[in-house]
Amino acid sequence: MPKIKSKEKSSLLDIYPYSRDAFQYLYDKLTDENFKRRYIIKDKPINAVTGIIWDITQGEPEITEIISTMDKMVGIRSEKTKSRLEKIVDTWLKKAYNLKLQNGYVIHRSFLLRFVKTIYENYDENIKRAAIYHFDKYNDKNKKKIKRAYENVRLNDLQERYPEFNIFDAYAYALITEKFKIKEDDLIEFENIVSLLKSQDD
């Protein structure tokens, strides 16, 4: 079964080469009289092309359903749709990083594989390889998130102002659990939370 390469971001050049039948299915759906979009204008195909691409990238439900059917026809899975094993690995790592940041817990593949074995009765080499793949992918992402937290100037300033709190690790965990990102609004909100914690001590 073909797989889409895992990437932080993808280009239109990375679109999977769907089969002729899949594209015929897409064409039939888009030219159906019941498929109505304001960008589909006779003699203006460019409007339709850009409109369809926009709807795909915005996750428009009807278009998403069409693309999902095309995926099934050629046997691929969208990166945005996590498998059960991928979710298990992601969740396990989030909990493991919580323990690591709090108590210095050592994160290792073997610990994850031991955990996965307790869940899958049919645990085999394929599941093991897939678990390792997902472990490496998410573990690498988490390491980069921690690095970004420690290198952020605003967080450095916040840590200096509140030395009694572990600002870096708290924000790193917020990044790992995807509650916050390294952006202005989230940093301000986090700073407000820390200020409230400080006010409780005063």
Side-chain angles (χ1 to χ4, degrees):
M1 180 182 294
K3 289 183 178 178
I4 299 176
K5 252 185 180 178
S6 176
K7 296 181 178 181
E8 287 293 325
K9 295 180 180 178
S10 295
S11 162
L12 285 175
L13 295 173
D14 299 316
I15 291 177
Y16 182 81
Y18 288 91
S19 66
R20 183 179 296 275
D21 287 342
F23 273 110
Q24 184 63 52
Y25 173 81
L26 175 63
Y27 177 81
D28 291 343
K29 283 291 183 181
L30 300 185
T31 55
D32 189 291
E33 60 180 14
N34 294 319
F35 184 82
K36 302 184 186 300
R37 291 293 186 280
R38 66 179 180 278
Y39 49 70
I40 297 181
I41 304 171
K42 189 177 181 181
D43 300 326
K44 289 189 177 180
I46 191 63
N47 290 34
V49 172
T50 54
I52 291 298
I53 292 174
W54 171 260
D55 277 353
I56 291 172
T57 60
Q58 300 306 303
E60 199 278 331
E62 188 175 5
I63 299 295
T64 299
E65 186 177 342
I66 293 171
I67 301 300
S68 294
T69 300
M70 292 172 66
D71 289 348
K72 290 176 184 176
M73 291 173 73
V74 294
I76 65 173
R77 179 177 60 83
S78 168
E79 278 191 59
K80 292 182 179 179
T81 306
K82 290 184 181 179
S83 67
R84 177 178 179 234
L85 179 58
E86 187 173 358
K87 289 177 182 176
I88 288 171
V89 173
D90 186 22
T91 301
W92 185 89
L93 273 171
K94 285 174 181 175
K95 292 178 179 177
Y97 267 93
N98 184 11
L99 294 174
K100 176 182 175 68
L101 293 170
Q102 285 194 60
N103 308 312
Y105 175 80
V106 177
I107 297 175
H108 197 273
R109 284 178 183 170
S110 61
F111 301 153
L112 167 72
L113 294 178
R114 217 175 295 161
F115 175 71
V116 172
K117 277 184 183 180
T118 66
I119 297 175
Y120 285 86
E121 291 182 9
N122 61 334
Y123 182 85
D124 58 15
E125 196 62 30
N126 288 329
I127 293 176
K128 178 181 177 181
R129 281 199 299 268
I132 289 173
Y133 169 78
H134 293 312
F135 175 91
D136 290 345
K137 180 176 74 171
Y138 284 100
N139 194 41
D140 183 59
K141 283 183 178 181
N142 291 340
K143 286 178 180 178
K144 289 177 180 177
K145 287 176 181 179
I146 292 174
K147 184 179 179 183
R148 284 200 296 272
Y150 271 77
E151 291 177 347
N152 186 268
V153 175
R154 189 165 192 145
L155 291 176
N156 269 274
D157 177 62
L158 199 59
Q159 183 66 77
E160 288 180 7
R161 284 191 283 133
Y162 300 101
E164 68 274 31
F165 296 134
N166 189 348
I167 299 296
F168 292 120
D169 288 345
Y171 206 89
Y173 185 65
L175 292 175
I176 289 170
T177 56
E178 300 174 342
K179 304 301 181 186
F180 287 109
K181 294 182 179 180
I182 294 288
K183 62 180 186 178
E184 187 70 12
D185 289 348
D186 286 351
L187 289 164
I188 291 173
E189 187 174 346
F190 181 76
E191 188 171 343
N192 290 338
I193 291 171
V194 174
S195 298
L196 286 170
L197 288 171
K198 180 63 177 176
S199 67
Q200 297 296 316
D201 295 335
D202 295 339

